[in-house]
């Protein structure tokens, strides 16, 4: 009975993502023990990670802005919606057929949509133009849909993999801080995390154009297999081969590195394991690794990396400290 | 990130864009929480919007708030309770006096472990939980709040939050287990019926 209580306590913590690595190991041990509850636990796990409330639209933002008297682009959307509604109402009196048509039009009025993804999750969705997007944990995308005008613009915070639906007349533009990635129809990955000075774009198919914001005036093109690192501080692009055969492996929970510096690897480890990883000197930070991990625990990854190229590391409750081997 | 210190500082200095961004980011969650107290969407929307108005009007002191996210949930809770209080004409209502907390309807892609029937069973089992336990479960699962934040919102200790969540998970697991046993029990019956015809 005690074991059972412990199991649920660990499970609750795991789902609330506050489990320490030791506790996680204990939980895995209990679950591996073929308990009668295993199937129920797996069902609950799936429910917790995959079931979401039905999405419904609401007017909280519009209401608040009206009360506060904000005037900006967001308001004009609601106004145009309002105009459509009146028009639909008038025509409804004139002809049922016509109003039916207009009702469809009304549903198509542009509105700001937000897609977000909680940490430790990966979500896939499709935009109104057929573009497929995979969002990595803790990332979000803003878009005004359906797209109108000369281009399809979205804003990205965090990391996402795109499979853009081809449309030569409306280029697809991903905006990240100080950078625009312009495409016609391709597959590529953008990683633009707020805690990293460097943004990365990896291209798998087609062609993309990268434009730094105006005051830098820099731009460059990528071809499949290339990776661009953009440094927002000096506006420079650094282009290398990304060497990855599977596009955006993080979608399946896989971490892979190709000739990558420890400095940039630890940022990915920090996100995946939600812990702090500190590299104390650049001698260790500049070590380069090529590796792939799927569900190895953090400790194992660190051990394997430090065996490949020597460095010292200490794991504490607050996180991990890495320094070069003396 | 809308809840970063930097964003909050900008909002406190009157950055409308950052404020709108914060609203867009968190209003779904707050509305979901408000609708747990108040079934009418219109009223819930109004309450959440009132909270944002209050936040904007007192933006100068935002930087002093320890955890803005939890604070927003606290504000929504307080306004919801005072709304219920007004309508019920009772003087004192706290979370303890709350009859029920409504859990949102969920949808889920089918997987190895979940089908429509199981989803329905879990949902029904959640409905059977006591109100405060339901609220803890809902805040943790649907709003993704941490123990500490839930404790702040509900004015209970983190330990109690943990107890509620463990209780909820155990109940849900039990309800799933009962069905399995039932199915096993009924299986031989079916054979008997077949033979008797």
């Amino acid at each position: 009975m005690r074991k059972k209580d412990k199991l649920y306590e660990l499970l609750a913590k795991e789902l609330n993502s506050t489990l320490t690595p030791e506790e996680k190991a204990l939980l895995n041990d209990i679950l591996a023990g073929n308990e009668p509850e295993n199937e129920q636990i797996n069902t609950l796990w799936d429910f917790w990670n995959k079931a979401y409330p039905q999405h419904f639209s609401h007017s909280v933002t519009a209401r608040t802005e009206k009360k506060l008297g904000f005037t900006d682009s967001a308001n004009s959307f609601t106004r145009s919606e309002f105009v459509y509604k009146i028009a639909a109402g008038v025509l409804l009196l004139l002809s049922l057929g016509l109003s039916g048509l207009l009702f469809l039009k009304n549903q198509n009025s542009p509105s700001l949509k937000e897609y977000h993804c909680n940490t430790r999750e990966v979500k896939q969705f499709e935009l109104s133009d057929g573009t497929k997007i995979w969002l990595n944990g803790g990332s979000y995308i803003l878009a005004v849909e359906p797209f109108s005008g000369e281009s399809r613009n979205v804003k990205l915070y965090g990391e996402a993999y795109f499979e853009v639906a081809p449309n030569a007349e409306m280029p697809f533009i991903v905006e990240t801080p100080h950078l625009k990635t312009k495409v016609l129809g391709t597959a590529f990955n953008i990683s633009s995390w707020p805690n990293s000075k460097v943004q990365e774009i990896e291209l798998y198919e087609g062609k993309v154009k990268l434009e730094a914001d105006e005051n830098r005036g820099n731009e460059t093109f990528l071809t499949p297999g290339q990776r661009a690192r953009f440094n927002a501080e000096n506006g420079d692009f650094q282009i290398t081969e990304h060497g990855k055969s599977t596009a955006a492996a993080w979608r399946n929970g896989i971490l892979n590195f190709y000739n990558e510096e420890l400095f940039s690897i630890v940022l990915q480890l920090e996100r995946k394991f939600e812990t702090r990883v500190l590299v104390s000197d650049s001698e260790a930070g500049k070590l380069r690794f090529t590796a792939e991990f799927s569900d190895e625990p953090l400790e194992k990854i660190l051990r394997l990396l430090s065996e490949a190229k020597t460095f010292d590391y200490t794991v504490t409750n607050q996180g991990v400290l890495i320094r070069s081997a003396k | 990130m809308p809840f970063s210190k930097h964003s909050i500082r900008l909002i406190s200095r009157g950055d409308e864009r950052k404020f709108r961004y914060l609203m867009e980011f968190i209003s779904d969650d707050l509305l979901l929480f408000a609708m747990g107290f108040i079934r009418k969407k219109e009223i819930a929307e109004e309450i959440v919007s009132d909270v944002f108005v209050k936040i904007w009007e007192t933006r100068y002191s935002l930087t002093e708030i320890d955890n803005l996210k939890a604070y927003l949930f606290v504000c929504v809770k307080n306004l919801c309770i005072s709304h219920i209080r007004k309508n019920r004409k009772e003087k004192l209502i706290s979370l303890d006096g709350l009859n029920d907390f409504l859990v949102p309807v969920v949808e889920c892609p089918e997987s190895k472990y979940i089908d429509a029937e199981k989803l329905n069973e879990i949902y029904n089992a959640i409905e059977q939980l006591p109100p405060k336990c339901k609220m803890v479960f809902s805040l943790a699962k649907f709003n993704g709040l941490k123990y500490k934040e839930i404790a702040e919102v509900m004015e209970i200790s983190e330990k109690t939050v943990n107890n509620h969540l463990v209780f909820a998970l155990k109940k849900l697991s039990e309800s799933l287990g009962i069905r399995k046993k039932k199915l096993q029990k009924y299986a031989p019956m079916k054979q008997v019926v077949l033979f008797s015809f």
Side-chain angles (χ1 to χ4, degrees):
Chain A
M1 226 25 223
R2 285 206 60 129
K3 192 172 168 191
K4 208 167 157 184
D5 285 342
K6 185 75 192 162
L7 169 63
Y8 285 106
E9 180 149 353
L10 290 173
L11 183 67
K13 277 190 172 174
E14 161 74 14
L15 295 176
N16 207 252
S17 49
T18 46
L19 210 59
T20 64
E22 296 85 48
E23 286 174 325
K24 173 129 191 167
L26 185 59
L27 177 62
N28 287 341
D29 269 4
I30 300 182
L31 288 179
N34 208 12
E35 297 292 313
E37 293 90 4
N38 269 8
E39 193 178 329
Q40 284 108 281
I41 301 250
N42 282 326
T43 309
L44 284 180
W45 198 300
D46 259 18
F47 173 79
W48 192 283
N49 289 315
K50 291 179 186 160
Y52 283 90
Q54 280 168 358
H55 188 78
F56 54 90
S57 59
H58 61 81
S59 58
V60 171
T61 310
R63 264 170 208 260
T64 315
E65 291 186 340
K66 205 173 153 198
K67 285 184 206 164
L68 292 173
F70 283 10
T71 46
D72 210 277
S73 54
N75 264 350
S76 64
F77 293 137
T78 54
R79 213 172 289 137
S80 73
E81 221 168 48
F82 186 60
V83 170
Y84 273 122
K85 273 180 189 154
I86 288 183
V90 170
L91 281 169
L92 190 77
L93 296 173
L94 295 172
S95 130
L96 260 173
L98 256 178
S99 68
L101 224 142
L102 215 88
F103 183 62
L104 280 176
K105 213 171 168 186
N106 182 19
Q107 285 187 326
N108 281 335
S109 69
S111 59
L112 184 71
K113 296 225 174 101
E114 184 189 303
Y115 305 88
H116 63 100
C117 180
N118 299 330
T119 43
R120 293 201 176 202
E121 279 178 7
V122 170
K123 270 194 207 163
Q124 193 217 329
F125 48 83
E126 203 171 304
L127 299 182
S128 58
D129 67 335
T131 293
K132 284 185 187 146
I133 297 181
W134 284 257
L135 264 187
N136 204 346
S139 308
Y140 37 105
I141 277 187
L142 295 174
V144 174
E145 284 184 284
F147 297 111
S148 58
E150 288 175 351
S151 56
R152 297 170 279 172
N153 289 43
V154 301
K155 279 198 165 72
L156 164 70
Y157 301 84
E159 179 163 26
Y161 173 75
F162 295 83
E163 281 178 15
V164 176
N167 181 349
E169 277 151 33
M170 272 169 99
F172 192 91
I173 301 180
V174 185
E175 296 175 25
T176 46
H178 308 294
L179 183 69
K180 279 183 182 172
T181 307
K182 273 194 194 177
V183 301
L184 297 174
T186 55
F188 60 101
N189 189 65
I190 298 190
S191 135
S192 159
W193 295 101
N195 60 350
S196 167
K197 274 180 283 184
V198 178
Q199 303 180 42
E200 283 185 8
I201 293 93
E202 288 169 1
L203 185 62
Y204 297 92
E205 262 177 64
K207 195 176 185 186
V208 302
K209 180 185 182 186
L210 306 176
E211 271 177 26
D213 61 4
E214 289 105 19
N215 44 7
R216 314 226 194 272
N218 245 351
E219 57 178 60
T220 187
F221 288 92
L222 282 188
T223 52
Q226 287 189 323
R227 169 205 290 133
R229 285 208 165 89
F230 172 72
N231 187 334
E233 278 181 354
N234 53 23
D236 274 349
F237 292 106
Q238 184 201 345
I239 294 179
T240 51
E241 297 295 312
H242 62 62
K244 291 176 185 170
S245 50
T246 29
W250 54 260
R251 290 179 291 163
N252 305 315
I254 292 169
L255 285 172
N256 60 2
F257 313 112
Y258 177 77
N259 195 19
E260 214 163 303
E261 281 187 2
L262 193 57
F263 275 135
S264 95
I265 291 176
V266 299
L267 290 177
Q268 295 174 56
L269 293 177
E270 280 188 331
R271 272 193 301 277
K272 174 149 184 184
F273 296 99
E274 292 180 82
T275 179
R276 295 280 298 140
V277 184
L278 205 76
V279 182
S280 67
D281 56 300
S282 62
E283 196 183 324
K286 290 241 160 57
L287 292 173
R288 286 176 179 275
F289 296 89
T290 298
E292 185 172 308
F293 301 103
S294 49
D295 15 85
E296 285 86 349
L298 180 59
E299 293 253 12
K300 190 168 176 197
I301 294 181
L302 289 168
R303 204 186 67 230
L304 291 172
L305 290 179
S306 71
E307 275 168 12
K309 290 185 181 169
T310 328
F311 61 80
D312 283 339
Y313 66 90
T314 348
V315 182
T316 66
N317 276 340
Q318 278 97 44
V320 181
L321 180 68
I322 292 176
R323 57 184 109 65
S324 57
K326 283 282 164 327
Chain B
M1 286 295 173
F3 285 106
S4 69
K5 276 202 172 126
H6 178 68
S7 293
I8 294 174
R9 209 178 307 122
L10 287 177
I11 293 172
S12 75
R13 288 188 200 140
D15 188 328
E16 289 184 11
R17 254 186 56 213
K18 279 269 183 279
F19 183 62
R20 175 176 301 128
Y21 182 41
L22 175 86
M23 285 197 285
E24 272 154 7
F25 185 79
I26 195 71
S27 58
D28 282 7
D29 276 321
L30 293 177
L31 186 60
L32 213 57
F33 182 54
M35 283 171 74
F37 294 96
I38 289 160
R39 280 127 216 255
K40 281 192 85 171
K41 192 180 156 206
E42 278 274 314
I43 300 172
E45 281 187 21
E46 194 61 24
I47 284 175
V48 175
S49 143
D50 281 343
V51 168
F52 283 129
V53 168
K54 184 191 151 203
I55 292 289
W56 182 252
E57 281 168 352
T58 57
R59 60 184 177 275
Y60 309 103
S61 51
L62 278 191
T63 44
E64 290 154 30
I65 293 166
D66 197 31
N67 181 337
L68 182 58
K69 192 169 161 197
Y71 181 77
L72 284 167
F73 277 90
V74 171
C75 292
V76 168
K77 178 198 79 179
N78 289 344
L79 275 191
C80 284
I81 289 180
S82 67
H83 177 89
I84 298 171
R85 189 182 300 160
K86 247 185 257 160
N87 284 16
R88 270 212 230 151
K89 301 203 177 71
E90 280 170 35
K91 287 243 166 66
L92 214 76
I93 291 180
S94 63
L95 281 186
D96 299 301
L98 202 68
N99 289 337
D100 201 7
F101 185 80
L102 205 70
V103 182
V105 179
V106 289
E107 45 192 26
C108 181
E110 298 220 341
S111 73
K112 188 176 158 199
Y113 296 107
I114 286 198
D115 52 30
E117 202 184 330
K118 273 197 179 165
L119 186 65
N120 202 17
E121 247 163 55
I122 298 177
Y123 189 75
N124 286 338
I126 297 174
E127 292 268 81
Q128 304 295 322
L129 295 172
K132 281 176 111 181
C133 183
K134 238 192 255 185
M135 195 184 295
V136 169
F137 185 84
S138 185
L139 284 169
K141 160 73 189 90
F142 299 114
N143 302 115
L145 294 191
K146 301 270 170 269
Y147 281 7
K148 198 177 155 225
E149 293 168 328
I150 301 173
E152 190 179 336
V153 173
M154 295 182 58
E155 294 167 78
I156 51 181
S157 73
E158 277 184 57
K159 180 75 195 135
T160 313
V161 172
N162 176 55
N163 291 347
H164 275 305
L165 196 55
V166 169
F167 178 80
L169 289 172
K170 225 158 132 184
K171 281 282 168 220
L172 300 192
S173 170
E174 273 169 24
S175 80
L176 286 166
I178 288 167
R179 183 183 77 140
K180 221 169 80 184
K181 275 188 199 137
K182 262 191 198 161
L183 285 176
Q184 281 164 357
K185 245 187 228 162
Y186 286 135
M189 283 288 280
K190 268 186 202 155
Q191 283 178 343
V192 172
V193 173
L194 270 174
F195 277 115
S196 63
F197 278 103

